[in-house]
Amino acid sequence: MSPGPAAIDVLVVDDDFMVARVHRTFVERVEPFRVVGVASTGEQAAAAVDELRPDLVLLDLYLPDVFGLDVIPRLRTAGHDCDVMVISAAREADTVRGAARHGVVDYLLKPFEFEELRSRLQRYAAQRGRLLTAVVQSQADVDRVLAGASAPPAAGALPKGMSVETADLIERTLRAADGTLSATECATLAGISRVSARRYLEYFHATGTADVSLRYGVAGRPERRYSWRV
């Protein structure tokens, strides 16, 4: 039996211990990721990276002692080459641009569902695998390695358990909608289960072909609304 993929060690950084617990639970549901530590401040994050040497840091930006992005140059100065994925409610364009300049591998806005984080972790794992095994002999090899850093999964390369036929059905349903659709509305129009519709909708959002907005009601969780990106 061939060994499975090597574990990808993750450090979760968030000042809210309940949120950090949720993120840890989410990450540990995705193979081959494993959480090796949790930090709630920038100082703790830097110390944890020194001690634990994670491959990936899930970094909140609103930390009590420093702004999250300021942790990244400190890690680089200390010689750490771990990757950083921002998970934050910060929506300012300057912040997103700053994250890009610091070389983050992804930027995920709160709130989000498990499927959204899972698709991004899987995309990161695939890109990491390409980087670790790449043999570069030509410009084409360089382009092939770097393509996955910003590009979504190739068309037709759907995650396991998803079909091209159902993906096409959901795409047509979204394109034909007058405005946005909830997962329930999309499921009804497409004639499939809500769980299936939600999975495909989140996949399209993760790959950049669908937009998500939040509709807040009187009480309870905000409703996620989807639209096809023109």
Side-chain angles (χ1 to χ4, degrees):
M1 180 181 297
S2 60
I8 298 176
D9 292 341
V10 179
L11 173 68
V12 174
V13 182
D14 199 291
D15 68 325
D16 186 320
F17 78 95
M18 289 298 294
V19 171
R21 181 182 299 176
V22 170
H23 292 177
R24 177 172 196 151
T25 300
F26 280 179
V27 171
E28 291 182 338
R29 291 170 61 186
V30 185
E31 294 184 353
F33 294 88
R34 65 182 180 188
V35 175
V36 294
V38 176
S40 59
T41 69
E43 284 295 324
Q44 289 179 9
V49 171
D50 278 335
E51 177 185 356
L52 302 171
R53 305 285 171 157
D55 302 303
L56 176 65
V57 177
L58 300 189
L59 180 65
D60 186 21
L61 298 185
Y62 295 136
L63 301 175
D65 54 344
V66 297
F67 189 56
L69 291 182
D70 294 333
V71 174
I72 300 176
R74 176 172 174 177
L75 298 180
R76 301 299 179 236
T77 300
H80 299 301
D81 62 354
C82 54
D83 292 316
V84 176
M85 180 184 298
V86 170
I87 296 184
S88 176
R91 299 170 183 268
E92 299 81 7
D94 285 346
T95 299
V96 177
R97 285 193 291 267
R101 286 194 294 269
H102 282 298
V104 303
V105 297
D106 212 332
Y107 194 116
L108 180 57
L109 287 174
K110 299 177 181 179
F112 60 88
E113 300 291 337
F114 166 67
E115 290 294 340
E116 193 164 4
L117 178 60
R118 179 171 69 172
S119 67
R120 291 169 185 272
L121 288 175
Q122 290 173 335
R123 185 168 64 193
Y124 165 76
Q127 170 64 4
R128 174 181 166 83
R130 283 191 291 269
L131 290 171
L132 291 176
T133 60
V135 176
V136 178
Q137 298 178 331
S138 67
Q139 183 64 49
D141 294 328
V142 174
D143 295 341
R144 190 176 303 112
V145 170
L146 295 182
S150 58
L158 295 170
K160 183 178 180 181
M162 297 178 70
S163 71
V164 173
E165 293 78 13
T166 305
D168 288 342
L169 175 61
I170 296 298
E171 177 180 342
R172 292 196 302 271
T173 303
L174 271 186
R175 285 182 179 273
D178 182 14
T180 62
L181 292 176
S182 67
T184 300
E185 292 166 346
C186 185
T188 300
L189 291 170
I192 63 175
S193 72
R194 180 188 177 281
V195 172
S196 293
R198 179 62 175 270
R199 185 181 182 197
Y200 283 87
L201 290 168
E202 288 295 338
Y203 168 76
F204 284 137
H205 176 50
T207 56
T209 52
D211 290 319
V212 173
S213 58
L214 299 180
R215 176 181 293 178
Y216 292 86
V218 176
R221 299 168 61 184
E223 180 184 56
R224 293 173 71 82
R225 310 281 304 180
Y226 303 85
S227 60
W228 194 257
R229 181 171 294 177
V230 179

